Amino acid sequence: MSILDSMPDEPGEDSSPESSKPGNQPDIHQHLKRPQLKVDAPLRMVETAFLASTASLIWFINFYFPFGPVLRMFFPLPIALVYLRWGKRAAWMAAVTSGLLLAVLMGPVRSMLFVMPFGLMGVLLGATWHRRVPWIVSITLGMLLGTLGVFFRLWLLSVLSGEDLWVYVINQVTEIIEWIFLKLQILATPNVFVVQVGGMLLIAFNNLIYLFVVHLAAWLLLDRLGNPIPRPPRWVQILLDYEG
């Protein structure tokens, strides 16, 4: 018996009619394919870094060269745009990166004043817009976060300066309430509780107006960038004569 007769038959040389069909042959190319690189990964990293630096730059420019409310309305929008394009993890990374960049450029205190509330607000607005919730919900949540941000700023600056800055707010609110009482011809002096409640309501109302303006800016801007947010109430569209 020769050596060729003693060698086992190779599995690829099966002469049965079923194995000779092209459809039954194993697809060797599927096992030989190289793993393809995910194109989204570097694009996500580049856009996240770019928009995080954009948010930091807007805050930096507005701090040293304030233009009133023009740049202020764009503080949370770059991070919210990251959420709309790449999701929650990328948005948190953008907020942290913005804080770290501002900590290098301006110091940790001013960095914290940006992260709380505007960095967190960008993540919050991105989450609500991604889930297509109505404006009333996203504005209310943003207003609460913005109000907490104001109290955080007052607390932090009071600790650093050694003075209670809430007293200055109370004095301003007291003058406003006394002016209202004078116009209404109310012969009374507002007590401390009324003044403090009025100060909180004034801060909340200010943040309510701010969040509404931010939503308007995002509605007009992000639509043109291909990442639309939920449609505003009908009366807003009629007021601005905008067909969404």
Side-chain angles (χ1 to χ4, degrees):
M1 182 176 61
S2 64
I3 298 177
L4 295 176
D5 295 334
S6 63
M7 294 179 64
D9 296 334
E10 295 186 5
E13 297 179 354
D14 190 3
S15 59
S16 61
E18 295 181 358
S19 63
S20 62
K21 296 179 181 179
N24 294 328
Q25 293 180 355
D27 191 3
I28 303 175
H29 297 285
Q30 293 181 356
H31 301 283
L32 298 180
K33 284 183 178 179
R34 296 181 180 178
Q36 297 179 353
L37 294 176
K38 294 182 179 179
V39 183
D40 290 346
L43 183 60
R44 181 190 302 114
M45 181 179 63
V46 170
E47 285 194 5
T48 301
F50 175 77
L51 290 173
S53 61
T54 301
S56 303
L57 185 61
I58 293 174
W59 171 267
F60 182 85
I61 294 175
N62 186 79
F63 186 85
Y64 290 105
F65 306 99
F67 293 96
V70 177
L71 291 180
R72 183 180 173 84
M73 70 178 70
F74 296 104
F75 285 167
L77 290 187
I79 299 177
L81 180 58
V82 173
Y83 198 112
L84 293 176
R85 292 185 60 82
W86 300 110
K88 176 174 63 176
R89 184 175 181 273
W92 281 111
M93 290 300 297
V96 173
T97 304
S98 299
L100 293 176
L101 182 59
L102 287 173
V104 174
L105 295 176
M106 306 175 66
V109 175
R110 297 189 178 103
S111 173
M112 287 189 291
L113 294 179
F114 170 78
V115 175
M116 179 64 185
F118 299 108
L120 300 180
M121 188 180 294
V123 179
L124 174 64
L125 293 179
T128 55
W129 293 340
H130 179 72
R131 290 168 175 78
R132 319 306 294 178
V133 301
W135 276 32
I136 184 64
V137 177
S138 57
I139 289 178
T140 302
L141 294 177
M143 178 197 69
L144 294 176
L145 180 60
T147 304
L148 290 177
V150 172
F151 287 110
F152 173 78
R153 176 177 298 182
L154 290 174
W155 170 79
L156 181 62
L157 296 179
S158 297
V159 171
L160 295 176
S161 63
E163 298 182 3
D164 189 4
L165 299 181
W166 179 246
V167 175
Y168 295 97
V169 178
I170 293 300
N171 292 334
Q172 297 295 324
V173 175
T174 302
E175 293 180 2
I176 295 174
I177 294 178
E178 288 179 349
W179 179 80
I180 294 175
F181 281 10
L182 181 62
K183 293 298 181 180
L184 296 177
Q185 297 182 355
I186 299 176
L187 300 178
T189 302
N191 55 29
V192 178
F193 177 76
V194 174
V195 172
Q196 290 183 352
V197 172
M200 295 179 183
L201 292 178
L202 184 62
I203 293 173
F205 180 75
N206 185 31
N207 281 277
L208 180 67
I209 300 300
Y210 172 72
L211 264 298
F212 180 74
V213 175
V214 169
H215 276 66
L216 287 179
W219 174 43
L220 299 175
L221 177 63
L222 298 186
D223 272 9
R224 290 161 174 77
L225 295 178
N227 297 99
I229 68 172
R231 300 298 88 188
R234 185 62 182 171
W235 65 269
V236 178
Q237 300 186 37
I238 295 175
L239 183 64
L240 297 179
D241 192 18
Y242 183 90
E243 291 298 331

